Amino acid sequence: MSMFKSKNEGNIYKCTVRLLDDTELIECEFQPFHRGNYLVEYICDQLNIKERDYFGLRYVDNSKQRQWLDLGKPILKQIKDLDPMLFSFRVKFYPADPFRLTNQGRTMLYQQLKRDLRHGRIYCSVGEAAALGSLIVQEELGDYNEEIHVENYVASMNLALRQTESLERKIIELHKKREPRQNPSEVVNEFLSIVSSLETYGIDPHPVKDHRGSQLYIGINYTGISTFICGKRSQHFRWNEVQKINFEGKMFIAHLSYTDASREAKKHTVGFKCSTNSTCRYLWRCALEQMLFFTLPNSQNAAVVSGGGFFSWGTKFKYTGRTEREILTESINALREQKLNSSGINNRKASSVPATPSSPPGDFEQIRYSSLPRSTMSEPLTYCKVPGSDCAHNIVLYQGQGYGDTDTPIIQLPCLEPVSEESKLIYSSKLNKTNHDSINYYLRCEDNVVYSPTMSKPSATELNKNNKANLDSSKTYLLNKNIDNSVFGSTKIAQNIIHQKSSKSAKPIRKFRFINAFIPSVMCVIILMTVFAIFVIESKSNFLQNVRNLPEMISLRYQYYQPLKEYVFSKLGIKF
């Protein structure tokens, strides 16, 4: 039942999802463009889970590293080289209050916590383990019966990681003391209330080493980041103290900002070494997703987060999905709306005054809107071409149905003329013709002057003198205009000749190329950084002690600088 691509089905892919009970499997189909959220939503719909944001799908890649299916990326790109391609349906975000989940969601959380207890992910005392085991036995086998439950009847049940005979005897004793005829849902709720109070609730331990080389485990849940040594929590960093999470090669780094006993703000950086680079990247992503899910007000505020450094080639992550605050806000609003609706129904039922039949039900909506005067501002404006106009861009806005004449335009926009060299030449020729026609019209109109009754008509001699003077002035105007145009044209030609000579004599300017400036700049920065790093590592100055103790510098020294130095010295024959 592994995932495979059928040649007869084209681009349809089939996959298998293993549920919290390993014996239950679901066959799914998806296409190459489907993203991770498609598969998660499909499984939650099949299981009738409403709170789907708390669940996810996990798989193991080719390097044997566990991964969570990214909801925002295509499924096929994440598992294209995986064969067989198998998913495991798991609880990804453990809620602070497990009773926020309802029905099937709470049942799935209960199944997940039973798996955590069996695989040793829940660190607890022997007494707590016995109490949890007795609740599991009560939920699966029911009330204690002397005839049925004989000898060590819990030995065949896988209840804890280290299930000893003494633990089984304590579980049997507690099972005998349970109240009979208890509802299974009450047993599940009691189990959830005990587990949620433990420090390791919702913890998936990641093995790391501290700066001393001591083995410990990092656990991440809704409260923050914790470290565990021999099953006990040694450090705890709350989310409000964590400013940034990063990784450098195999080093997982957390930048903290907290207030000490004297109420002074202090900053601190802690680093933990993972076994491989892929393990460190997986730990960084898990911590980042947990922090964003439990701290962001909404997913819209999630920005693209860059992780890694210069020696790990960097990794970008974008949170996809809703946050816990969005889920709680939505549930609160739904509950509030339900209460308002129920209160409205109760008020209507309690009212003793019958409703007045003021109008028929069918005509109520029409009467409601048509009985009031309508404003012309509420009418939509439509665009129409002006009748009889040759301009395609001449637009007129008409009023819609309402008061006034609907055929009267209220706004008229002028025609937009195309801008091109041909249109400019045509326009200039038209303009020159218009000016010439206006001058001729002016000369012609001088011979046909209309005089008012109060004006005295001049004699023929005076008219001839005036016409001659006007003719001379118009000729002088045209002559001056032609001279100005010729002078301006000759000047422009001379300027063009000078510009061409200067452009030929000038040396060609070399074009700026980004790559020619980028490569030397990068090489200079790399050389300077390398020299500075060697100087800091080899220096014994107390002034640079804090820089040498940074997790990034420690990772650089022991993972890259020290092996490279030994290799170079061995090749040169220098004793190291």
Side-chain angles (χ1 to χ4, degrees):
M1 289 190 178
S2 61
M3 177 175 178
F4 62 94
K5 177 182 177 181
S6 177
K7 296 181 180 179
N8 298 328
E9 295 177 352
N11 291 329
I12 296 178
Y13 292 81
K14 292 183 179 180
C15 66
T16 302
V17 177
R18 184 172 54 193
L19 302 183
L20 290 165
D21 188 356
D22 293 334
T23 59
E24 297 182 4
L25 301 173
I26 295 180
E27 295 291 335
C28 307
E29 292 183 353
F30 67 92
Q31 295 182 4
F33 60 86
H34 282 148
R35 300 182 182 271
N37 56 358
Y38 170 81
L39 204 55
V40 175
E41 291 178 359
Y42 177 80
I43 298 299
C44 291
D45 290 339
Q46 294 294 317
L47 300 176
N48 195 20
I49 298 175
K50 296 181 180 180
E51 300 85 0
R52 60 190 63 186
D53 300 277
Y54 292 95
F55 298 88
L57 293 175
R58 179 180 281 168
Y59 64 95
V60 180
D61 59 14
N62 292 328
S63 60
K64 306 303 179 183
Q65 175 60 49
R66 293 188 302 172
Q67 302 288 347
W68 285 104
L69 184 66
D70 196 328
L71 303 181
K73 295 181 180 180
I75 303 172
L76 195 60
K77 287 186 177 180
Q78 302 181 60
I79 58 171
K80 59 182 179 180
D81 298 330
L82 195 62
D83 186 24
M85 297 181 182
L86 180 67
F87 294 101
S88 297
F89 183 74
R90 298 289 182 263
V91 176
K92 189 175 184 179
F93 304 107
Y94 292 75
D97 184 7
F99 300 102
R100 292 173 183 170
L101 304 182
T102 58
N103 301 331
Q104 192 66 14
R106 190 181 301 181
T107 303
M108 291 293 106
L109 179 61
Y110 170 68
Q111 296 289 340
Q112 177 69 67
L113 291 173
K114 287 200 301 182
R115 287 182 61 91
D116 295 344
L117 186 62
R118 289 197 301 266
H119 292 83
R121 285 190 288 268
I122 296 179
Y123 299 152
C124 55
S125 62
V126 177
E128 293 170 338
L132 295 175
S134 64
L135 290 171
I136 296 174
V137 173
Q138 177 71 26
E139 188 268 333
E140 294 184 2
L141 303 181
D143 297 336
Y144 176 76
N145 191 337
E146 295 181 355
E147 298 178 358
I148 301 175
H149 304 139
V150 295
E151 297 181 355
N152 190 1
Y153 59 93
V154 299
S156 59
M157 301 178 65
N158 188 8
L159 301 175
L161 179 64
R162 295 177 179 85
Q163 187 170 330
T164 60
E165 292 183 2
S166 60
L167 178 61
E168 293 173 354
R169 286 194 297 269
K170 290 183 179 181
I171 292 175
I172 294 173
E173 292 176 2
L174 293 176
H175 185 216
K176 291 180 181 180
K177 297 179 182 179
R178 300 288 308 175
E179 295 181 3
R181 296 181 298 278
Q182 195 173 10
N183 194 336
S185 61
E186 296 178 359
V187 177
V188 172
N189 292 340
E190 186 177 352
F191 180 90
L192 294 177
S193 62
I194 294 176
V195 175
S196 61
S197 62
L198 300 176
E199 293 180 347
T200 55
Y201 165 70
I203 291 296
D204 187 11
H206 302 264
V208 294
K209 292 183 179 181
D210 59 5
H211 63 283
R212 299 185 183 89
S214 302
Q215 181 70 42
L216 49 88
Y217 293 89
I218 287 182
I220 307 162
N221 61 0
Y222 69 94
T223 60
I225 302 174
S226 303
T227 59
F228 296 89
I229 300 177
C230 299
K232 295 183 179 180
R233 186 162 69 179
S234 58
Q235 291 176 312
H236 181 59
F237 312 115
R238 299 187 178 274
W239 289 128
N240 57 359
E241 300 175 351
V242 180
Q243 298 297 316
K244 183 181 178 182
I245 301 174
N246 202 358
F247 72 95
E248 178 69 37
K250 298 180 182 179
M251 294 292 295
F252 173 76
I253 304 168
H255 302 270
L256 309 174
S257 178
Y258 61 95
T259 304
D260 58 0
S262 61
R263 295 184 178 181
E264 293 183 1
K266 291 187 177 181
K267 294 184 178 181
H268 185 58
T269 303
V270 294
F272 304 95
K273 188 176 182 180
C274 302
S275 58
T276 61
N277 293 355
S278 59
T279 304
C280 185
R281 189 180 295 106
Y282 172 71
L283 173 59
W284 169 77
R285 178 167 179 147
C286 290
L288 197 60
E289 282 186 308
Q290 294 282 335
M291 183 177 69
L292 295 177
F293 179 80
F294 289 109
T295 59
L296 276 182
N298 55 68
S299 57
Q300 296 179 353
N301 296 336
V304 178
V305 182
S306 297
F310 183 78
F311 296 98
S312 58
W313 301 103
T315 301
K316 291 184 178 180
F317 171 77
K318 177 69 168 64
Y319 180 80
T320 305
R322 296 189 302 173
T323 62
E324 189 180 42
R325 292 190 188 180
E326 288 182 294
I327 300 170
L328 297 179
T329 303
E330 183 178 346
S331 60
I332 291 172
N333 292 337
L335 183 61
R336 186 180 301 169
E337 184 178 357
Q338 183 179 0
K339 287 183 178 180
L340 291 176
N341 294 334
S342 61
S343 62
I345 294 173
N346 294 332
N347 292 335
R348 286 196 296 270
K349 289 182 178 179
S351 178
S352 59
V353 180
T356 303
S358 59
S359 60
D363 301 331
F364 177 75
E365 185 175 358
Q366 183 178 359
I367 294 172
R368 177 181 177 185
Y369 289 98
S370 61
S371 61
L372 299 176
R374 301 180 67 179
S375 172
T376 57
M377 296 299 293
S378 63
E379 291 295 331
L381 298 176
T382 58
Y383 295 90
C384 179
K385 183 181 178 183
V386 178
S389 175
D390 295 334
C391 181
H393 301 278
N394 198 353
I395 304 299
V396 177
L397 279 70
Y398 287 90
Q399 292 180 351
Q401 296 178 357
Y403 303 104
D405 187 7
T406 58
D407 295 332
T408 304
I410 58 174
I411 300 176
Q412 183 171 353
L413 301 179
C415 292
L416 300 178
E417 295 196 4
V419 179
S420 63
E421 295 296 331
E422 293 81 0
S423 62
K424 288 182 179 179
L425 293 174
I426 295 171
Y427 179 74
S428 61
S429 63
K430 289 183 178 180
L431 184 62
N432 294 333
K433 183 178 180 182
T434 303
N435 294 334
H436 187 266
D437 293 341
S438 63
I439 295 171
N440 293 335
Y441 175 76
Y442 170 74
L443 294 176
R444 290 197 302 269
C445 289
E446 289 297 330
D447 295 334
N448 302 314
V449 180
V450 180
Y451 298 95
S452 63
T454 58
M455 294 176 63
S456 61
K457 187 174 181 179
S459 61
T461 306
E462 292 178 353
L463 285 173
N464 292 332
K465 289 181 179 180
N466 291 334
N467 291 337
K468 186 178 182 181
N470 291 331
L471 184 60
D472 294 339
S473 62
S474 62
K475 290 180 178 179
T476 305
Y477 169 77
L478 294 174
L479 181 61
N480 292 334
K481 186 176 181 180
N482 293 332
I483 292 172
D484 292 340
N485 291 334
S486 62
V487 171
F488 175 75
S490 60
T491 305
K492 190 173 182 180
I493 292 171
Q495 290 178 353
N496 291 334
I497 294 172
I498 294 171
H499 178 70
Q500 291 177 1
K501 290 182 178 180
S502 60
S503 62
K504 290 180 180 180
S505 61
K507 294 182 179 180
I509 300 175
R510 187 176 182 181
K511 292 183 179 180
F512 174 77
R513 295 185 180 274
F514 177 75
I515 194 68
N516 294 338
F518 178 74
I519 294 178
S521 302
V522 172
M523 295 300 296
C524 292
V525 171
I526 294 175
I527 293 172
L528 290 176
M529 291 178 61
T530 304
V531 172
F532 177 74
I534 294 174
F535 174 74
V536 171
I537 293 173
E538 295 293 341
S539 177
K540 304 298 181 181
S541 175
N542 295 329
F543 179 74
L544 299 174
Q545 185 66 27
N546 295 329
V547 180
R548 285 195 299 272
N549 292 335
L550 291 175
E552 293 86 350
M553 296 301 298
I554 295 175
S555 175
L556 175 64
R557 179 176 182 178
Y558 289 102
Q559 294 186 32
Y560 301 98
Y561 178 73
Q562 206 77 11
L564 183 61
K565 184 178 179 180
E566 293 177 358
Y567 175 77
V568 173
F569 279 20
S570 62
K571 290 295 182 181
L572 296 177
I574 302 175
K575 293 183 180 181
F576 179 70

